[in-house]
Amino acid sequence: MAVRVTQNMLNSNMLRNLHNSMRNMDKLQDQLASGQKIAKPSDDPVVAARGMFYRSSLMENEQYTRNVDEAKSWLDMTDSTMDEVGNVMKRIKELLIYSGDGAISPEDLKTMASEVQELKNHLGTLANQQINGKYIFAGTDTNKAPYDAAANGGKGDFVNTNSSLINLEVSQNVFVTSNVNAQNIFNFPDNANNMFKLLDNIITELSNGRSAAQFQQKADQQFDKLLAERASLGANVNRVELIAERLKTQEVSISDLMSRNEDANMAEVMTDLKTQESVHSAALGSGARIIQPTLLDFLR
């Protein structure tokens, strides 16, 4: 059975096809202007879902990178401070050896006592080293100074007993330590015989005009422990640097995957747009022939 095609049907089909053509051109023009395959999730739910996943992964990677940067800052500050502590201990060891020289006068020994006192004060300053307002040798009590100049009868002592480590997450379920156990440095082997108490004993002997050479072994033990802790710190620094490099590589990989998923192929889009413009022009041309002539066309 034949279907009668009316003029209204021709006009409706022509308008519908023109609308579809314009809609396709609008979509291609949006892709060309934005550089993105989709403008809203309904354009392609799969691309949108993958894009959300990649963005979430990128945000996590950025947070891990910030944690690594913070850990590196703490470790670098700790390393430089421990290096300075080592230099102080070297000088003290030199003074202890020098004090054993029988030709040294009591007055010279008292002068040496003054120098050791200043070195001790400097060690107290180093023990209270801060980064971003937090004490790096206080364990998790980062808001309390670990060295108190008024402790031990005004002589000054390391009063912190917190040995907890600060861990930062640098990958999923992967943590790194950003500080050191200061008890192994300033409170070694215990608070009664720590670094500052040793210096107090040295100062007492030298102030009385006596040699303090008998403390050389204990000073060596303190220095050796400091070197061991610094070696452990160096291993931790190396690990953090390797993690930082891996996070940089992951950032590039995730960004590349996100670009492949969302970015439009500009050459392909421009070609499709040119093709669609040709189709639209052809549709307009055929539409001009379909529209029914009016009475005015016959009255010319």
Side-chain angles (χ1 to χ4, degrees):
M1 176 180 172
V3 178
R4 179 172 177 266
V5 178
T6 66
Q7 185 65 42
N8 284 336
M9 293 174 61
L10 292 176
N11 292 343
S12 298
N13 286 335
M14 179 199 70
L15 291 175
R16 183 174 62 254
N17 291 331
L18 286 176
H19 289 160
N20 290 337
S21 176
M22 294 179 67
R23 187 181 301 109
N24 290 335
M25 282 198 302
D26 180 65
K27 181 179 179 180
L28 291 171
Q29 287 173 343
D30 284 343
Q31 292 181 2
L32 193 63
S34 65
Q36 303 292 312
K37 290 180 182 179
I38 62 174
K40 52 186 180 296
S42 60
D43 293 340
D44 193 329
V46 175
V47 171
R50 288 178 178 173
M52 293 174 63
F53 171 76
Y54 292 139
R55 278 181 168 76
S56 177
S57 299
L58 194 60
M59 291 176 63
E60 288 180 0
N61 194 80
E62 290 174 351
Q63 182 59 57
Y64 290 144
T65 300
R66 286 192 289 270
N67 289 352
V68 167
D69 291 340
E70 182 177 357
K72 287 176 65 178
S73 298
W74 275 67
L75 293 173
D76 289 343
M77 176 64 73
T78 303
D79 183 61
S80 62
T81 304
M82 291 175 68
D83 180 62
E84 197 166 348
V85 172
N87 292 334
V88 171
M89 293 304 297
K90 287 179 184 178
R91 178 55 182 165
I92 291 173
K93 289 172 62 178
E94 292 175 358
L95 292 174
L96 291 177
I97 295 173
Y98 188 43
S99 70
D101 189 342
I104 299 297
S105 67
E107 293 301 322
D108 292 334
L109 292 174
K110 292 179 182 180
T111 302
M112 292 169 59
S114 299
E115 182 177 354
V116 174
Q117 180 63 58
E118 293 302 321
L119 291 173
K120 180 192 173 184
N121 294 338
H122 185 55
L123 279 178
T125 302
L126 296 176
N128 283 341
Q129 182 65 54
Q130 300 181 65
I131 182 170
N132 297 328
K134 298 179 180 179
Y135 295 98
I136 64 176
F137 294 117
T140 53
D141 294 330
T142 55
N143 59 336
K144 298 179 182 178
Y147 178 82
D148 185 0
N152 193 23
K155 295 180 180 180
D157 195 10
F158 194 82
V159 296
N160 180 275
T161 58
N162 190 318
S163 59
S164 301
L165 299 178
I166 299 175
N167 295 318
L168 296 175
E169 188 173 8
V170 294
S171 189
Q172 188 170 8
N173 297 324
V174 177
F175 297 85
V176 296
T177 302
S178 62
N179 66 336
V180 296
N181 184 359
Q183 305 302 313
N184 294 332
I185 302 173
F186 299 107
N187 254 350
F188 174 79
D190 51 56
N191 183 260
N193 300 282
N194 66 12
M195 184 182 295
F196 295 100
K197 298 286 179 51
L198 173 62
L199 296 184
D200 288 337
N201 294 333
I202 293 173
I203 293 170
T204 299
E205 292 297 313
L206 294 176
S207 298
N208 292 325
R210 297 190 297 266
S211 171
Q214 67 271 22
F215 296 108
Q216 288 185 43
Q217 183 178 1
K218 291 185 178 181
D220 288 338
Q221 291 175 350
Q222 293 284 348
F223 186 72
D224 292 342
K225 186 61 176 178
L226 175 66
L227 292 180
E229 290 298 315
R230 194 176 179 194
S232 177
L233 175 70
N236 199 20
V237 170
N238 291 336
R239 183 192 177 198
V240 170
E241 290 178 348
L242 290 174
I243 293 174
E245 290 299 322
R246 178 172 59 80
L247 289 175
K248 289 181 181 179
T249 302
Q250 284 184 348
E251 181 181 1
V252 174
S253 298
I254 296 172
S255 298
D256 181 61
L257 290 172
M258 188 168 65
S259 176
R260 292 183 183 182
N261 180 64
E262 297 181 355
D263 292 352
N265 186 328
M266 304 309 282
E268 182 179 349
V269 172
M270 292 180 68
T271 301
D272 291 343
L273 182 59
K274 285 294 182 181
T275 302
Q276 190 61 44
E277 287 177 351
S278 299
V279 171
H280 188 69
S281 297
L284 289 173
S286 64
R289 295 179 177 85
I290 290 174
I291 296 177
Q292 183 179 7
T294 65
L295 179 63
L296 293 177
D297 294 320
F298 294 98
L299 296 178
R300 289 176 181 175

